Amino acid sequence: MNLLIVILLFLALLLSRVTSLKTAVNVLLAQSALVALACTIVAVDTGEVHTYVAAALTLVVKAGLIPYALYRIVGMLRREREDHPILNPNYSAMVFGCMIVLAYGLIDRALPGVVSRDALAAAVSMTLIGLTMIMTRRQAVLQIVGLITMENGLYLVGLSVTKGLPLIIELGVFLDVLVAVVVLVILTYRLKRSFMSTDTSRLKKLKG
Amino acid sequence: MGQLIVLALVLPLVTGALTMAQSGQQAIRWINLAGGSLTSLALLTIVYHVATEGVVNAGSLYVDQLTAVVLIVVALLTFTAALFSQSYMEQEVVQGHISLKQLKRYYGLFNLFVFTMICVLVTENMGMIWVAVEATTLSSALLVAFYFDRAALEAAWKYVMVCTVGICLALLGTILLYYAQVNASIGQIQALSWLALKSVSQRLDPGMIKLAFVFILIGYGTKAGLAPMHTWLPDAHSQAPSPVSGLLSGALLSCALYAIVRTFIIAKSALGVAFPEQLLIGFGLLSIVIAVPFILVQHDLKRLLAYSSIEHMGLITLGFGLGTPLAVYGALLHIVNHAVTKSALFYLTGAIIKQYGTKHMMRIRGLVSAAPMVGCMFVAAVLAIAGLPPFSVFYSKFTIVWAAFHSGSPWLGAAVLLLMAGVFAGMIYYTLKIAFGPAPSRVSTGYRPGVPALVAVSASMVLMIGTGLYLPPWFDTLIDQAVVIVTGGGL
């Protein structure tokens, strides 16, 4: 489990330096697969059927359908990359590192002495890193990757504090995430057609 | 009654599916008119049943008086929006702005959107409420982006990004709520069931609930358009087709507020009243404060109305935050009144934009002489939303402000009055400029908004004036009972 957490944090840090869209999706795929693995480990521990189902769904939805949709759109956006990020990769890595420290600080204050301290801290830092990514990246696809990272983080939070939400709610969450990605991919495709680019910093017409 | 709720959920889905299968414009029209009316009728029957017979609790479906108040909004707006869409979308097709395929997509998404809003209201489970609220974002996102032009894409992108991030925080809050429930309950629990949460609320860990409430308030507050998370709202409301703007502003914001109020009830019971109420008052007041300057200096007619929605959502949140029975009564009544009035205004704006071909208020002049019917109704509706008697909005606004003075915070009441005066000045200033004077010669006076559109708006106008003068006793009792639920009486 600890090894898993270390790899997950490493992947999250890796996202801070990624400028190519395809690499970002690769990292996301690896991340989601690891989250599914973590879920399976919890399932083996508790022996609950619904945790197995959740693990299988994570694998299918987050490591299967979502990356597939993203690969397709990235295939269409051959020349797009993050050219001038708001934070350059070095600062970005530093900020992401700070997020991990912040997450540990938060956990120790809000839930002192919780059993799954490291897993929870990793989950919260993934959420924060996802949020930072949405705010500091201009490329539409990278923002989507940030969103899924955030969602993966939240999923891990649920997994580490309550062994996951009830199955029916979990199903709804998966459906929502999947549809959200489909909607965002449609919008990204349209952005490319209308603006000749998927750089969201061009979206600044509506003001006041 | 359980079957009727299921019917109300299935009807929009069936209507949407049937629409997608049609190829004639007439068929699409009639199917949607019938579907919208039937859905509305089913919902109103449920509401009336709850008002006279009491709470419906059928497994995971649950409708109490608080739900019923917001269900009224969804019922009325589904009907008027479906009716108004008839004329509005037909003209879009005739003018060649959209194709038949797009028309089908519009109605399909429209019905899906209505379905998700009903889902938010009729589930009893906080987790399912989260799922449904996120589904409302997703089903309405492509309606906001409906025209797929640059502005619409920008609005839709911001809408999905801001609301999904917000709603992720609400998910975190919901997880924490579940954690608190697991720790407080003994043995088998009904996970995240609102009734179960309420029954153990005294035993929930206050620190955890505090954290959960803050996250959930920020999350659903984003959807309800509370400042400072409101940034998506003016863009989305101004770019969506007018019937959808009405639905977003009236029904969707109310549904998001409903989700906040459900959590608020739990939080109050677990934490004591002080913290949750102060938080709501703070967000409410901030929303009103932020809306005022944007209303005073505005150039876009639909954005003006969108900022007015932020102001009203702030006022309602403030009413819930004050927490006295009078204030909560005002807030609940205001949800209904605001929805009816604001949706009518958005519909009228749709007709005005069609006639003048612009949303820019500087280019809209002499509305009353160019289109007497629409012009008069527009002026009346603006006076209504600004809070003049005898329109219904006046009474609910008045009740909230009165309650603010009564609850021992006269400064708060005075501040709200002052801010409302600012909003009033802005709204009236622009309306006078739009409505009166000679119309520009390029504007044709021959434009007709269409009979269904006029019927939809007139129905709203009748409700606005009617409920301002007379509240049916069953409706009054319904709100009274909802007040008891919010202020923490019995279940």
Short mmCIF file of all heavy atoms in Angstrom, two decimals, chain B residues 185-222:
data_model
loop_
_atom_site.label_atom_id
_atom_site.label_comp_id
_atom_site.label_asym_id
_atom_site.label_seq_id
_atom_site.Cartn_x
_atom_site.Cartn_y
_atom_site.Cartn_z
N SER B 185 -23.32 6.16 14.13
CA SER B 185 -24.38 5.16 14.16
C SER B 185 -23.86 3.84 14.70
O SER B 185 -22.68 3.56 14.65
CB SER B 185 -24.94 4.94 12.76
OG SER B 185 -25.19 6.17 12.14
N ILE B 186 -24.79 3.06 15.17
CA ILE B 186 -24.43 1.74 15.67
C ILE B 186 -25.07 0.71 14.74
O ILE B 186 -26.25 0.82 14.42
CB ILE B 186 -24.94 1.53 17.10
CG1 ILE B 186 -24.45 2.68 17.98
CG2 ILE B 186 -24.48 0.19 17.66
CD1 ILE B 186 -25.52 3.34 18.79
N GLY B 187 -24.28 -0.26 14.32
CA GLY B 187 -24.84 -1.34 13.51
C GLY B 187 -25.15 -0.89 12.08
O GLY B 187 -24.52 0.01 11.54
N GLN B 188 -26.13 -1.56 11.50
CA GLN B 188 -26.50 -1.31 10.11
C GLN B 188 -27.02 0.11 9.94
O GLN B 188 -27.85 0.57 10.71
CB GLN B 188 -27.58 -2.32 9.69
CG GLN B 188 -27.75 -2.48 8.20
CD GLN B 188 -26.53 -3.13 7.55
OE1 GLN B 188 -25.78 -3.86 8.20
NE2 GLN B 188 -26.32 -2.86 6.29
N ILE B 189 -26.51 0.83 8.94
CA ILE B 189 -27.02 2.19 8.74
C ILE B 189 -27.55 2.34 7.32
O ILE B 189 -27.14 1.65 6.40
CB ILE B 189 -25.92 3.24 8.98
CG1 ILE B 189 -24.69 2.95 8.12
CG2 ILE B 189 -25.57 3.33 10.43
CD1 ILE B 189 -23.79 4.13 7.99
N GLN B 190 -28.49 3.29 7.19
CA GLN B 190 -28.92 3.68 5.85
C GLN B 190 -27.99 4.80 5.43
O GLN B 190 -28.13 5.94 5.87
CB GLN B 190 -30.36 4.18 5.89
CG GLN B 190 -31.35 3.09 6.15
CD GLN B 190 -32.69 3.68 6.48
OE1 GLN B 190 -32.86 4.39 7.46
NE2 GLN B 190 -33.67 3.41 5.65
N ALA B 191 -27.03 4.46 4.58
CA ALA B 191 -25.96 5.38 4.27
C ALA B 191 -26.48 6.67 3.66
O ALA B 191 -27.21 6.64 2.66
CB ALA B 191 -24.98 4.72 3.31
N LEU B 192 -26.13 7.78 4.27
CA LEU B 192 -26.40 9.12 3.76
C LEU B 192 -27.88 9.43 3.58
O LEU B 192 -28.23 10.42 2.96
CB LEU B 192 -25.67 9.36 2.43
CG LEU B 192 -24.18 9.62 2.56
CD1 LEU B 192 -23.53 9.64 1.20
CD2 LEU B 192 -23.92 10.92 3.27
N SER B 193 -28.72 8.57 4.10
CA SER B 193 -30.14 8.88 4.04
C SER B 193 -30.40 10.11 4.91
O SER B 193 -29.91 10.22 6.03
CB SER B 193 -30.95 7.69 4.56
OG SER B 193 -32.10 8.13 5.23
N TRP B 194 -31.18 11.05 4.36
CA TRP B 194 -31.37 12.31 5.06
C TRP B 194 -32.11 12.09 6.38
O TRP B 194 -31.73 12.66 7.41
CB TRP B 194 -32.15 13.30 4.18
CG TRP B 194 -32.27 14.64 4.79
CD1 TRP B 194 -31.30 15.59 4.85
CD2 TRP B 194 -33.41 15.19 5.45
NE1 TRP B 194 -31.77 16.68 5.51
CE2 TRP B 194 -33.06 16.47 5.90
CE3 TRP B 194 -34.70 14.71 5.72
CZ2 TRP B 194 -33.95 17.29 6.57
CZ3 TRP B 194 -35.57 15.53 6.40
CH2 TRP B 194 -35.21 16.80 6.82
N LEU B 195 -33.12 11.25 6.36
CA LEU B 195 -33.89 11.00 7.58
C LEU B 195 -33.02 10.33 8.64
O LEU B 195 -33.07 10.69 9.82
CB LEU B 195 -35.10 10.13 7.27
CG LEU B 195 -36.20 10.80 6.46
CD1 LEU B 195 -37.26 9.80 6.06
CD2 LEU B 195 -36.84 11.93 7.24
N ALA B 196 -32.18 9.37 8.17
CA ALA B 196 -31.30 8.69 9.12
C ALA B 196 -30.30 9.68 9.71
O ALA B 196 -30.04 9.69 10.91
CB ALA B 196 -30.57 7.55 8.43
N LEU B 197 -29.75 10.53 8.85
CA LEU B 197 -28.80 11.54 9.32
C LEU B 197 -29.46 12.45 10.35
O LEU B 197 -28.88 12.80 11.36
CB LEU B 197 -28.31 12.38 8.15
CG LEU B 197 -27.12 11.86 7.37
CD1 LEU B 197 -26.95 12.65 6.09
CD2 LEU B 197 -25.86 11.98 8.19
N LYS B 198 -30.71 12.81 10.04
CA LYS B 198 -31.40 13.74 10.94
C LYS B 198 -31.66 13.07 12.29
O LYS B 198 -31.52 13.70 13.33
CB LYS B 198 -32.73 14.16 10.29
CG LYS B 198 -33.48 15.17 11.09
CD LYS B 198 -33.87 16.36 10.26
CE LYS B 198 -34.34 17.52 11.14
NZ LYS B 198 -35.65 17.31 11.71
N SER B 199 -31.96 11.76 12.25
CA SER B 199 -32.29 11.11 13.52
C SER B 199 -31.06 10.94 14.41
O SER B 199 -31.18 10.88 15.62
CB SER B 199 -32.95 9.75 13.25
OG SER B 199 -32.02 8.90 12.66
N VAL B 200 -29.85 10.88 13.79
CA VAL B 200 -28.65 10.75 14.63
C VAL B 200 -27.90 12.07 14.74
O VAL B 200 -26.79 12.12 15.27
CB VAL B 200 -27.67 9.67 14.09
CG1 VAL B 200 -28.30 8.31 14.14
CG2 VAL B 200 -27.18 10.01 12.70
N SER B 201 -28.52 13.15 14.24
CA SER B 201 -27.76 14.40 14.10
C SER B 201 -27.17 14.89 15.42
O SER B 201 -26.11 15.50 15.44
CB SER B 201 -28.63 15.48 13.48
OG SER B 201 -29.78 15.66 14.26
N GLN B 202 -27.83 14.60 16.52
CA GLN B 202 -27.30 15.07 17.81
C GLN B 202 -25.97 14.39 18.14
O GLN B 202 -25.15 14.93 18.86
CB GLN B 202 -28.30 14.76 18.94
CG GLN B 202 -29.68 15.33 18.73
CD GLN B 202 -29.73 16.83 18.91
OE1 GLN B 202 -28.83 17.42 19.48
NE2 GLN B 202 -30.80 17.46 18.42
N ARG B 203 -25.78 13.17 17.60
CA ARG B 203 -24.59 12.40 17.96
C ARG B 203 -23.45 12.58 16.96
O ARG B 203 -22.36 12.05 17.15
CB ARG B 203 -24.95 10.92 18.06
CG ARG B 203 -25.55 10.54 19.41
CD ARG B 203 -25.75 9.07 19.49
NE ARG B 203 -26.97 8.67 18.78
CZ ARG B 203 -27.09 7.55 18.10
NH1 ARG B 203 -26.09 6.72 18.02
NH2 ARG B 203 -28.23 7.26 17.50
N LEU B 204 -23.70 13.31 15.85
CA LEU B 204 -22.65 13.46 14.84
C LEU B 204 -21.52 14.31 15.40
O LEU B 204 -21.74 15.22 16.19
CB LEU B 204 -23.23 14.13 13.59
CG LEU B 204 -24.30 13.34 12.82
CD1 LEU B 204 -24.92 14.20 11.76
CD2 LEU B 204 -23.69 12.11 12.20
N ASP B 205 -20.29 13.99 14.96
CA ASP B 205 -19.12 14.72 15.42
C ASP B 205 -19.17 16.17 14.90
O ASP B 205 -19.12 16.40 13.70
CB ASP B 205 -17.87 14.00 14.89
CG ASP B 205 -16.62 14.78 15.18
OD1 ASP B 205 -16.67 15.68 16.04
OD2 ASP B 205 -15.58 14.48 14.55
N PRO B 206 -19.27 17.17 15.81
CA PRO B 206 -19.45 18.55 15.35
C PRO B 206 -18.32 19.05 14.45
O PRO B 206 -18.59 19.72 13.44
CB PRO B 206 -19.49 19.35 16.65
CG PRO B 206 -19.80 18.38 17.71
CD PRO B 206 -19.27 17.06 17.27
N GLY B 207 -17.08 18.69 14.78
CA GLY B 207 -15.96 19.18 13.97
C GLY B 207 -16.08 18.69 12.53
O GLY B 207 -15.89 19.45 11.57
N MET B 208 -16.44 17.41 12.39
CA MET B 208 -16.56 16.82 11.06
C MET B 208 -17.71 17.44 10.28
O MET B 208 -17.60 17.75 9.09
CB MET B 208 -16.77 15.31 11.23
CG MET B 208 -16.51 14.47 10.02
SD MET B 208 -14.94 14.79 9.27
CE MET B 208 -13.85 14.33 10.59
N ILE B 209 -18.84 17.67 11.00
CA ILE B 209 -20.00 18.24 10.33
C ILE B 209 -19.72 19.68 9.90
O ILE B 209 -20.14 20.12 8.83
CB ILE B 209 -21.22 18.20 11.27
CG1 ILE B 209 -21.64 16.77 11.51
CG2 ILE B 209 -22.39 18.98 10.71
CD1 ILE B 209 -22.11 16.05 10.28
N LYS B 210 -18.96 20.38 10.73
CA LYS B 210 -18.59 21.75 10.38
C LYS B 210 -17.85 21.77 9.05
O LYS B 210 -18.18 22.51 8.12
CB LYS B 210 -17.69 22.30 11.49
CG LYS B 210 -17.68 23.80 11.62
CD LYS B 210 -16.79 24.16 12.81
CE LYS B 210 -17.23 25.43 13.46
NZ LYS B 210 -16.51 25.72 14.69
N LEU B 211 -16.84 20.87 8.96
CA LEU B 211 -16.04 20.77 7.74
C LEU B 211 -16.93 20.38 6.55
O LEU B 211 -16.87 20.98 5.48
CB LEU B 211 -14.97 19.70 7.97
CG LEU B 211 -13.64 19.86 7.28
CD1 LEU B 211 -13.03 21.19 7.65
CD2 LEU B 211 -12.70 18.73 7.71
N ALA B 212 -17.78 19.36 6.79
CA ALA B 212 -18.65 18.88 5.71
C ALA B 212 -19.58 19.99 5.25
O ALA B 212 -19.77 20.20 4.05
CB ALA B 212 -19.46 17.68 6.20
N PHE B 213 -20.15 20.73 6.20
CA PHE B 213 -21.10 21.78 5.82
C PHE B 213 -20.42 22.87 5.00
O PHE B 213 -20.97 23.33 4.00
CB PHE B 213 -21.74 22.39 7.08
CG PHE B 213 -22.72 23.48 6.77
CD1 PHE B 213 -23.88 23.19 6.06
CD2 PHE B 213 -22.49 24.78 7.18
CE1 PHE B 213 -24.79 24.19 5.76
CE2 PHE B 213 -23.40 25.78 6.88
CZ PHE B 213 -24.55 25.49 6.17
N VAL B 214 -19.19 23.24 5.41
CA VAL B 214 -18.49 24.28 4.65
C VAL B 214 -18.26 23.82 3.21
O VAL B 214 -18.56 24.55 2.25
CB VAL B 214 -17.15 24.64 5.33
CG1 VAL B 214 -16.32 25.54 4.43
CG2 VAL B 214 -17.40 25.31 6.65
N PHE B 215 -17.78 22.58 3.05
CA PHE B 215 -17.51 22.08 1.69
C PHE B 215 -18.80 21.98 0.88
O PHE B 215 -18.84 22.36 -0.29
CB PHE B 215 -16.84 20.71 1.75
CG PHE B 215 -15.35 20.80 1.96
CD1 PHE B 215 -14.75 20.22 3.05
CD2 PHE B 215 -14.56 21.48 1.05
CE1 PHE B 215 -13.39 20.31 3.25
CE2 PHE B 215 -13.20 21.58 1.24
CZ PHE B 215 -12.61 20.99 2.34
N ILE B 216 -19.86 21.48 1.50
CA ILE B 216 -21.11 21.32 0.77
C ILE B 216 -21.69 22.68 0.41
O ILE B 216 -22.19 22.89 -0.69
CB ILE B 216 -22.11 20.48 1.59
CG1 ILE B 216 -21.59 19.04 1.67
CG2 ILE B 216 -23.49 20.50 0.97
CD1 ILE B 216 -22.51 18.09 2.38
N LEU B 217 -21.58 23.63 1.34
CA LEU B 217 -22.10 24.96 1.05
C LEU B 217 -21.36 25.59 -0.11
O LEU B 217 -21.97 26.18 -1.02
CB LEU B 217 -22.00 25.84 2.30
CG LEU B 217 -22.47 27.28 2.14
CD1 LEU B 217 -23.93 27.32 1.76
CD2 LEU B 217 -22.27 28.07 3.42
N ILE B 218 -20.02 25.45 -0.11
CA ILE B 218 -19.26 26.02 -1.23
C ILE B 218 -19.63 25.30 -2.53
O ILE B 218 -19.84 25.92 -3.56
CB ILE B 218 -17.75 25.92 -0.97
CG1 ILE B 218 -17.38 26.85 0.19
CG2 ILE B 218 -16.95 26.29 -2.20
CD1 ILE B 218 -15.95 26.79 0.61
N GLY B 219 -19.75 23.98 -2.46
CA GLY B 219 -20.04 23.20 -3.66
C GLY B 219 -21.39 23.52 -4.26
O GLY B 219 -21.49 23.94 -5.41
N TYR B 220 -22.46 23.35 -3.48
CA TYR B 220 -23.78 23.64 -4.02
C TYR B 220 -23.98 25.14 -4.18
O TYR B 220 -24.77 25.58 -5.03
CB TYR B 220 -24.87 23.04 -3.12
CG TYR B 220 -24.87 21.53 -3.10
CD1 TYR B 220 -25.16 20.83 -1.95
CD2 TYR B 220 -24.58 20.81 -4.24
CE1 TYR B 220 -25.17 19.44 -1.92
CE2 TYR B 220 -24.57 19.42 -4.23
CZ TYR B 220 -24.87 18.75 -3.07
OH TYR B 220 -24.85 17.38 -3.06
N GLY B 221 -23.27 25.94 -3.35
CA GLY B 221 -23.36 27.40 -3.50
C GLY B 221 -22.86 27.83 -4.87
O GLY B 221 -23.37 28.79 -5.45
N THR B 222 -21.86 27.11 -5.40
CA THR B 222 -21.40 27.41 -6.74
C THR B 222 -22.54 27.26 -7.73
O THR B 222 -22.76 28.10 -8.59
CB THR B 222 -20.26 26.44 -7.14
OG1 THR B 222 -19.31 26.42 -6.09
CG2 THR B 222 -19.60 26.86 -8.41
#
